[in-house]
Amino acid sequence: MMKFKSLLAAAAMALGVCGLVQGAQAETLRVGMECTYFPFNYRTPEGEMAGYDVDVAKGVAKIIGADLDYVCQKWDGMVPALLANKFDIIVASMSITEERLKKMDFSVPYRVSIGRFLGPKGKDLKLFDEAGKPVPANFDGLRIGVERGSTYSSWINAKLPGATLQVYDGNEPMLLDLANGRVDLAITNPMKAYLDFLSKPDGAGFEFVSPPIDEKEFFGIGVGIGVRKGQDELLKRINGALETMIKDGSLKEYSLKYFPFAINPDNWQGVGTN
Amino acid sequence: MTLDPQLILDSLPLIAQGLGITLKLLFYSSLFGIALAVITLLMRISGRWYLSWPAQAYIYFFRGTPILVQIFIIYYGLPQFGFIRNSILWPILREPFTCCVIALGLNSGAYVSEILRGGVLGVDKGLTEAGKALGLSSPQRFIYITAPIAIRLSLPAYSNEFISTLKATALASTVTLMDVTGVARTLVSQTYAPYEIFIAAAILYLAFAWISYVALAWLEARASRYVKKGN
Amino acid sequence: MSGTQPVIVLDRVCKNFGAFRALTNVSLSVSKGEKLVVCGPSGSGKSTMIRCINRLEEHDGGRIIVNGHELTKDSRNIDAVRREVGMVFQNFNLFPHLTVIKNLMLAPRLVRHKNKDEARAVAMKYLERVRIPNQADKYPSQLSGGQQQRVAIARALCMNPEIMLFDEPTSALDPEMIAEVLDVMTDLAREGMTMVCVTHEMGFARSVADKIVFMDAGEIVEAATPEAFFTKPQTERARQFLSQILAH
């Protein structure tokens, strides 16, 4: 079994490695990603690497003047492979967590963790004020679908005591019940909501009914580029590149390629907010 | 993996918040189940094929499929039809609670119907004949002679079925209900301590199952007080 | 005591259970107040015949007329016959979940629409007749077999029947209890009740019966007065039966 797995890995690597041929002197950054996680890192039918993660990796590489080598790696072996020096950085939609920070370092987030409410189109429920803050009174008596144990349910419990939570074991049944009218609203990751629901016929009558809710104490910091500990110089250059890309709007441009809304941090908050 | 007994104790009162829904589910679905069981029993013993066949098909279907599948069909399956969402049934089928009561009740009804049929078949034919000879009508014989005796004969098997229904209510947590299991699963997803929390949930189920056993055993003893001891 | 008016008429009655011919052309008439004892070896059709009289068995051929009602598929006639005919079974068939008094009150309340007090008064009257008024609040399982059968007789009497059918009423009893049941039946006979009894109790038959019918293989072989039947049986089958039963 082990042999078979390593064979697979070797095959994957052989396929995945497509070095960009530039100046012979250029530094080469080996990037670990799954290569199958649409629309973040995946292969187009033509065999090209594409996706938001890929765009970010390319952007960083361009700014720091490095070439990219893509290394396709299964998710459960991602961190061990980084630590074993199979590649230099992870750009694989990996969330920055306490647990992971014990083993590795992360750049500033290049994608934020946000939640957004979905609801039927055209109902002006006045759930949020001008400043994007929720108006708890207008949630009273509304049934809101959430995933069991998700950060969204903690947020609602803390902010919207008058709402009734209906707890689901997955996004799909929750969105199905939203479509069927069993819940008035659902809160979830807007990217999933867009990909699985709003962009499909089932979701035709629905839309986002809230601004992106981005509260780090509930939803976490976001997704960053992972590097091995002790690579402070590399990390500094990557953070510098991300700063440039946040400020010049490149990240926003990348995110709008895949989603009709931004998934990037919209302003530079400096290094060390992790 | 070490077990934290304190966490079990601490989570008991939290999980007990789900007891209300668990018991309400049990109560209403058992009641609905008994009603269905009596109706289908009468259909089966009516001796008319057009009543007996649908009853048998119902029993066959609900005894032959998992309750979870039945819950999913009712909860997720039925709303797929627009006419159901637009019908007067929708306010009932919209609620996860009533969907579960319907599914559990339909399931329990199929089993209880068979249990009651066993009870009816166990009633001495001579008693029915005595009723006939006294001029009692067929409904009178059923109500005053067959039914009371059949119920007593059915009680031991019914007691098992009741406990089965109690345990089956746990499936309600799959369709958003915060019963004992729903609360426990939510706690697990927040604390990552499945052992302690599910053990606490198991303690609650066991305690209520025990109460049910005792209550039904008492009922059985009461219903059997006319039966000669050691006979 | 026998009158002239026939209250039970069987005319060439046939009954089959599948291929088995339980009754073949049984004809019989019982007058008002007459006491008829039916005897014969087991499997001879006695029970089937008596059960046809109140339609516990449905006859396949011939006619049965009871108290002027012909037994057909018409349930009104069946109900009328059952209201007027009481029956006592070999196995008592008391309702085990009801106390003695409630066993007696059930049919008068449901069928005769008597109120509770009336039904109770009637029940107590008949419990006294069968000499067990003190057992009124016991369950059948708490009584001896003889007591249970007396309760069963009282239960039938509470409906104030014109005819009583007894289907081997003492066959399930321990010997020491047979007498108490036969005493009650004898009392009843003296009061003029029309009775049809399937029984092997030849002493009872001799002292009470107006007529004895001997059956074998689904047919009536002999019908005679007790005197004639016991002293001069006409057929070899009856002689054989009597010699067997009296030898015990």
Side-chain angles (χ1 to χ4, degrees), chain B residues 28 34 43 92 102 104 120 125 132-133 163 175 179 182 212:
Chain B
Y28 289 113
I34 287 171
M43 287 165 76
I92 296 168
I102 291 169
L104 291 170
V120 167
K125 261 190 78 181
K132 280 185 192 173
I163 304 291
V175 289
D179 67 324
S212 308

Side-chain angles (χ1 to χ4, degrees), chain A residues 143 148-150 153-154 157 165-169 173-174 176-177 179-184, chain B residues 74-76 79-80 85 90 93-96 99 173-176 178 182 185-186 189-190:
Chain A
R143 289 195 209 195
R148 191 188 303 282
S150 66
S153 63
S154 323
N157 281 330
L165 280 188
Q166 207 150 311
V167 178
Y168 292 85
D169 290 314
M174 177 178 78
L176 195 58
D177 265 4
N180 286 336
R182 279 211 181 97
V183 289
D184 302 303
Chain B
I74 290 168
Y75 187 83
Y76 289 116
Q80 299 305 304
R85 271 179 289 147
W90 183 236
L93 290 172
R94 183 178 186 238
E95 299 301 321
C99 283
S173 67
T174 59
V175 289
T176 80
M178 283 297 183
R185 291 175 64 194
T186 305
S189 72
Q190 289 159 356

Side-chain angles (χ1 to χ4, degrees), chain A:
Chain A
M1 196 62 203
M2 282 308 294
K3 249 184 191 161
F4 178 67
K5 270 191 177 165
S6 51
L7 263 177
L8 265 186
M13 279 178 65
L15 282 168
V17 175
C18 44
L20 294 176
V21 185
Q22 279 191 353
Q25 298 299 91
E27 168 192 15
T28 298
L29 264 185
R30 293 168 301 162
V31 187
M33 51 179 60
E34 287 176 282
C35 310
T36 54
Y37 189 38
F38 179 85
F40 300 100
N41 54 79
Y42 64 98
R43 215 180 283 282
T44 63
E46 292 76 39
E48 298 292 316
M49 290 301 297
Y52 182 71
D53 293 338
V54 173
D55 289 343
V56 170
K58 280 182 184 165
V60 169
K62 194 175 168 195
I63 290 168
I64 68 176
D67 291 342
L68 280 182
D69 258 0
Y70 299 104
V71 180
C72 296
Q73 170 64 46
K74 285 181 87 177
W75 180 255
D76 52 9
M78 191 69 78
V79 176
L82 173 76
L83 301 183
N85 200 13
K86 293 223 172 113
F87 38 77
D88 305 304
I89 59 174
I90 296 173
V91 189
S93 291
M94 186 174 273
S95 295
I96 304 165
T97 64
E98 298 270 322
E99 201 63 31
R100 289 187 183 128
L101 282 168
K102 288 176 190 161
K103 295 180 195 152
M104 57 192 278
D105 286 338
F106 275 100
S107 71
V108 297
Y110 67 88
R111 199 179 99 202
V112 286
S113 292
I114 47 177
R116 257 183 119 171
F117 282 95
L118 291 161
K121 269 184 186 163
K123 273 195 189 172
D124 187 15
L125 295 169
K126 302 206 179 351
L127 303 174
F128 289 81
D129 63 18
E130 308 272 295
K133 295 274 170 231
V135 183
N138 291 350
F139 281 90
D140 285 359
L142 290 185
R143 289 195 209 195
I144 306 177
V146 292
E147 266 191 270
R148 191 188 303 282
S150 66
T151 49
Y152 309 119
S153 63
S154 323
W155 184 83
I156 293 177
N157 281 330
K159 308 271 173 168
L160 307 172
T164 309
L165 280 188
Q166 207 150 311
V167 178
Y168 292 85
D169 290 314
N171 244 325
E172 278 171 39
M174 177 178 78
L175 295 172
L176 195 58
D177 265 4
L178 178 67
N180 286 336
R182 279 211 181 97
V183 289
D184 302 303
L185 302 170
I187 181 170
T188 187
N189 178 327
M191 291 167 289
K192 277 197 215 166
Y194 174 74
L195 291 173
D196 300 340
F197 187 60
L198 292 180
S199 61
K200 302 263 168 75
D202 277 352
F206 297 86
E207 62 184 358
F208 287 117
V209 294
S210 78
I213 303 163
D214 153 27
E215 293 193 41
K216 290 189 173 50
E217 62 270 36
F218 289 102
F219 301 151
I221 299 152
V223 161
I225 296 176
V227 299
R228 277 185 299 280
K229 280 192 184 291
Q231 301 261 63
D232 293 350
E233 181 56 28
L234 175 63
L235 190 58
K236 209 169 136 190
R237 287 158 69 209
I238 290 173
N239 278 335
L242 288 174
E243 180 180 358
T244 310
M245 289 160 73
I246 289 168
K247 286 179 175 163
D248 72 6
S250 319
L251 282 190
K252 184 165 195 170
E253 185 193 314
Y254 298 155
S255 73
L256 293 177
K257 272 167 73 180
Y258 304 98
F259 298 99
F261 47 85
I263 58 174
N264 57 294
D266 49 7
N267 47 35
W268 174 248
Q269 303 191 321
V271 179
T273 52
N274 294 8

